[in-house]
Amino acid sequence: AQKVTQAQTEISVVEKEDVTLDCVYETRDTTYYLFWYKQPPSGELVFLIRRNSFDEQNEISGRYSWNFQKSTSSFNFTITASQVVDSAVYFCALSEALYNFNKFYFGSGTKLNVKP
Amino acid sequence: DGGITQSPKYLFRKEGQNVTLSCEQNLNHDAMYWYRQDPGQGLRLIYYSQIVNDFQKGDIAEGYSVSREKKESFPLTVTSAQKNPTAFYLCASSIEGGTSGNTIYFGEGSWLTVV
């Protein structure tokens, strides 16, 4: 079973539209961490945000916001007023401690196309 | 600037050849990782190292080998035993690798193509 599911394979929007990228995770641990990364066409994964399982406060950073809901095991990412530079593949990831190892589980990614 | 440097960016391998991908970090991180990314898929862990002179197999280690002789370096060798090596390879590091939640930072990746 997938630990992290990003059901949206690809999304296309027009510039200035808002867009939400979905992420659903599965874990039995009470302590875990959730991440979002951005992968632009150049290839490098860029860290965007880290959230621990005890902090369900939503987070906003500029045009980016994240909605963490333990009740639905979701950690969704919203871009407000999207821009062409937001075009990238976005990965959601779950981190658990597995036999003293910081194990990461990545979703399959959502490709976001922002058209001018 | 602090970061993770991978080289080469693009590499072509002939059938039956071993190739080595370089990964160097100057972040003073203890833990380093190698991931493989295939088109349209997520990242899969090949090998990881939590400390110098120690490394462990990840989920898809067959056909790969690594070494960790220095804290800042974690080269990956793709051997001829790897039957389908064409992929994008990402090196990463974290301050330590024993507890959950430490952010993993990535290099720019290396494209390997078998010709």
Side-chain angles (χ1 to χ4, degrees):
Chain A
Q2 288 269 34
K3 282 275 200 177
V4 178
T5 301
Q6 295 179 255
Q8 304 150 308
T9 304
E10 188 165 353
I11 301 175
S12 292
V13 299
V14 177
E15 206 170 19
K16 297 184 183 177
E17 283 186 14
D18 298 347
V19 59
T20 295
L21 309 182
D22 297 333
C23 174
V24 174
Y25 63 92
E26 178 186 332
T27 181
R28 293 181 180 178
D29 285 4
T30 54
T31 302
Y32 54 91
Y33 294 78
L34 296 164
F35 296 79
W36 276 95
Y37 288 86
K38 174 182 180 180
Q39 186 177 40
S42 60
E44 178 181 359
L45 265 76
V46 177
F47 165 70
L48 295 178
I49 190 171
R50 166 184 176 268
R51 232 35 194 158
N52 74 54
S53 53
F54 300 107
D55 184 0
E56 284 192 78
Q57 278 192 331
N58 290 337
E59 175 125 356
I60 298 175
S61 176
R63 295 184 297 107
Y64 295 172
S65 62
W66 290 270
N67 182 357
F68 176 29
Q69 291 194 339
K70 288 176 75 170
S71 60
T72 56
S73 297
S74 65
F75 186 45
N76 297 337
F77 173 30
T78 297
I79 301 175
T80 303
S82 59
Q83 299 176 1
V84 172
V85 293
D86 295 328
S87 297
V89 180
Y90 291 86
F91 289 95
C92 179
L94 165 71
S95 165
E96 296 177 329
L98 183 68
Y99 304 117
N100 295 319
F101 172 56
N102 181 24
K103 176 73 174 174
F104 266 65
Y105 301 90
F106 287 88
S108 54
T110 297
K111 184 176 183 181
L112 175 64
N113 302 305
V114 182
K115 302 175 182 177
Chain B
D1 286 346
I4 301 169
T5 302
Q6 290 186 237
S7 62
K9 179 70 174 178
Y10 300 96
L11 186 59
F12 296 90
R13 190 194 93 170
K14 294 182 179 179
E15 296 274 358
Q17 277 186 340
N18 293 351
V19 293
T20 297
L21 307 180
S22 169
C23 178
E24 304 276 330
Q25 54 100 358
N26 61 5
L27 301 168
N28 201 31
H29 285 174
D30 283 331
M32 296 187 74
Y33 313 79
W34 274 104
Y35 286 89
R36 169 178 171 146
Q37 184 180 16
D38 293 284
Q41 297 188 28
L43 280 67
R44 293 184 290 168
L45 182 64
I46 304 172
Y47 267 97
Y48 64 95
S49 167
Q50 293 181 279
I51 198 168
V52 175
N53 292 321
D54 184 58
F55 50 83
Q56 305 294 330
K57 292 181 180 180
D59 301 316
I60 55 165
E62 185 176 350
Y64 299 98
S65 65
V66 293
S67 63
R68 186 86 187 278
E69 296 176 2
K70 298 186 296 183
K71 184 175 184 177
E72 59 270 23
S73 178
F74 191 41
L76 173 73
T77 296
V78 184
T79 75
S80 56
Q82 171 49 240
K83 297 306 177 189
N84 185 22
T86 296
F88 188 53
Y89 291 88
L90 285 154
C91 180
S93 70
S94 64
I95 192 162
E96 67 96 17
T99 54
S100 67
N102 286 304
T103 300
I104 290 181
Y105 297 93
F106 288 86
E108 293 185 348
S110 294
W111 287 97
L112 174 62
T113 303
V114 173
V115 295

